[in-house]
Amino acid sequence: MAIDTVKLEALFRKVEEQQAPCIIRAVEVEKVYRMGNEEVRALQGASVDIYKGEYLSIMGPSGSGKTTLFNMIGGLGKPTSGKVYIDQVDIAQLDYNELAWLRCRKVGYIFQTYNLIQVMTCLENVTLPMAFAGMDAEDARDKGIAILQMVGLGDRILHKPGELSGGQQQRCAIARALANSPDIILADEPTANLDTHTGEEIIELLSRLKEELGVTIVSATHDLKMLKRSDRILWIEDGRIVRMAHPSEIDFSVGDFD
Amino acid sequence: MEAIREQVRLPFSVAFEVVMQGIRIRFGRSLVTATGVVLGVAFLMSILSGQVIRQGVSHEAQLRTETKRMFSFLTAEMGPPKDQVIGVLQVGPLNEAEVRLIRTLKERGAKAINWAQLTGQGAAPPEVARLVTGTSVEEVAAEASSLLIMGQGSLPQLDWATLLASSAQATVGATQKQEVAEVAPGVPLVSLARELKPEEIEAQALEQKRSAFRNLWMTIISLVVTFICISNSLLMSVTERFKEIGTMKCLGALSSFVRRLFLIESSLIGLVGAVAGALVGLVFAIIGYGLTFGFPLVLSSLQWGAIAFYFVPCLAAGVGLSVMAALYPASFAARMVPGTALRTNI
């Protein structure tokens, strides 16, 4: 029997593609908020598959449902209808306790305003999620120091957030997001409050983490530099996903996303 | 894929550590919050202890008037007590005014006070026993300028002639009303007790009713002020930390952990604030009434027992209100979708 090499190659490729499994899957997600008497339909049937190890950017004008989508895929809220699977688990099926477990170990969050706990040192901020995960204090300390060194804050471990620059605070927040070795990092406009140079450093750090640790990064952003570095870009408008593209397909010089 | 499991429940000590660290670092802010509690409780305590002081002062003033009146009635009969011997026959339990009278007589230079008790009346109160010379009923009037019948009780038949035979001056005084009628005829008797007229009793009862109502009213108002003061400062301190609560939830904290944090923190702040507030309130009440009635009178009439008793509701109000005012917003924030709590700007 003759072997069809072309077909065989195709089969191999398919296996290769399957090696990047879907880590977050949103299916027809709808979210309706009540604001007084008015119903706000923040998401109207958004579906997206996010693969393990990819760097996905979410774009959209304000009020487009960007943050809502972000909350849904991060387990910060439950959809009104539709399903969200994180690592193949339907988050609607989880109780508050299991959701806390999921937020603690599976997902790391990075915010535009850093949201570090001001009264704690860098190290304590980083070890707090480990404490929530029940890790031994000394192990947490060692791991915390290692992570802070990895993000370039090795000489700032005992500083308070107030004593750090914006970029350093964001590094600390990234270190905190990495505390329990999550599969997913959700970054909500992480460079919006930083100057161009510092923003670039943060982007650099995130891409490096993606390469070295294989974490999946989902980031809501308007930063062109971040968009260029991402694997895929997702547009959302009026609660619907309108476009999905690779950065190479987009002409950034036009500046219509600026 | 790792199976989803239950989130770890952290022990109390972890929560306590986090709270202590927070208080240490946010010390200034915690102090401001505690000041709200101090003010609230101080107001409550000053009103409550003010009532105690006012009562004590009016009781003391009444006692002093009573003693003074008895003393002047007695000296009108027997002359100044200096270097005189006075006999006292105790027929029943003494009231405060009688004790005061004995003390006054001694202070005014009485040479001796002979003290005798009719059988079955118990010993003289210790503060009296120090001042008097105990003797038998037969000798109680020896060389005495006057014989006083003291205590609430009935007077048995006595041979007054024999009893007063050796006295320097046959004056018999009765400090309470009941005995007067029973003294044998022919014996000169001074009634030192004063009978209140019905309209006076009525006026007193009315005044008592009015002051009870006034006290109740003041207590209610002060409770309201305390409630507003404490809940306001605690509510403020929690709502400005909504973001922190949201962050903790994002990092995997359970709502119960967040609630526990604020329970510990608010009860600590409430306790410290309430103790300080109760002391401050007491000191202010003493100073305030001291300036009005005079410090010696206020300090001598302070009823420490009653004041200590009022410490309890003050501490309870301080801690209870603090915990309620902190736990409500904290559990509200903990129940919120973490994303929403994060975006609240206060």
Side-chain angles (χ1 to χ4, degrees), chain A residues 31 33 67 71 75-78 86-89 94-107 109 111 113-121 124-125 128-129 131-134 160 176-177 180 188, chain B residues 1-11 14 17-19 21-27 241 243-259 261 334 336-340 342-343 345:
Chain A
K31 181 72 182 179
Y33 288 113
T67 310
N71 284 349
L76 293 183
K78 285 183 181 178
I86 296 178
D87 215 358
Q88 300 171 44
V89 177
L94 302 181
D95 64 12
Y96 71 97
N97 206 321
E98 293 163 331
L99 265 178
W101 188 92
L102 181 115
R103 283 197 289 264
C104 189
R105 282 155 228 253
K106 292 269 174 189
V107 191
Y109 303 88
F111 307 94
T113 50
Y114 324 131
N115 288 358
L116 294 169
I117 293 175
Q118 295 294 322
V119 300
M120 295 183 173
T121 63
E124 285 160 348
N125 264 292
L128 187 65
F132 289 149
K160 302 248 164 53
R176 184 179 63 182
N180 287 324
D188 191 359
Chain B
M1 188 190 93
E2 201 181 350
I4 304 284
R5 279 180 294 158
E6 292 244 310
Q7 178 65 303
V8 183
R9 289 185 189 275
L10 295 171
V14 174
E17 233 167 82
V18 172
V19 168
Q21 193 182 2
I23 290 180
R24 201 163 57 238
I25 290 156
R26 253 191 290 250
F27 190 70
R241 278 154 69 188
K243 233 182 179 153
E244 195 180 306
I245 294 174
T247 308
M248 285 209 178
K249 291 274 294 194
C250 280
L251 300 180
L254 288 172
S255 305
S256 58
F257 182 75
V258 173
R259 274 199 302 274
L261 283 187
M336 266 190 196
V337 176
T340 320
L342 271 178
R343 277 189 299 280
N345 278 313

Side-chain angles (χ1 to χ4, degrees), chain B residues 55-139:
Chain B
Q55 263 168 25
V57 163
S58 93
H59 178 73
E60 175 74 19
Q62 216 179 353
L63 210 60
R64 285 184 183 188
T65 321
E66 184 83 0
T67 312
K68 204 170 161 191
R69 191 178 44 74
M70 289 203 291
F71 181 75
S72 48
F73 273 31
L74 185 65
T75 48
E77 281 306 313
M78 66 165 221
K82 194 161 171 50
D83 295 328
Q84 307 234 39
V85 176
I86 293 147
V88 176
L89 192 60
Q90 191 192 349
V91 297
L94 300 185
N95 64 25
E96 277 181 88
E98 288 168 324
V99 174
R100 290 279 181 103
L101 179 62
I102 291 166
R103 203 190 298 157
T104 313
L105 288 171
K106 195 73 185 173
E107 278 164 8
R108 294 298 177 88
K111 199 164 89 187
I113 297 175
N114 291 336
W115 185 269
Q117 282 155 293
L118 288 175
T119 44
Q121 298 307 332
E127 67 261 45
V128 174
R130 281 188 292 109
L131 304 169
V132 299
T133 329
T135 179
S136 64
V137 178
E138 288 74 30
E139 286 163 21

Side-chain angles (χ1 to χ4, degrees), chain B residues 10 12 34 38 62 99 199 231 250-251 276-277 287 289 307 313-314 326 338:
Chain B
L10 295 171
F12 186 82
V38 170
Q62 216 179 353
V99 174
E199 61 263 33
S231 54
C250 280
L251 300 180
I287 291 176
Y289 283 98
I307 284 168
C314 281

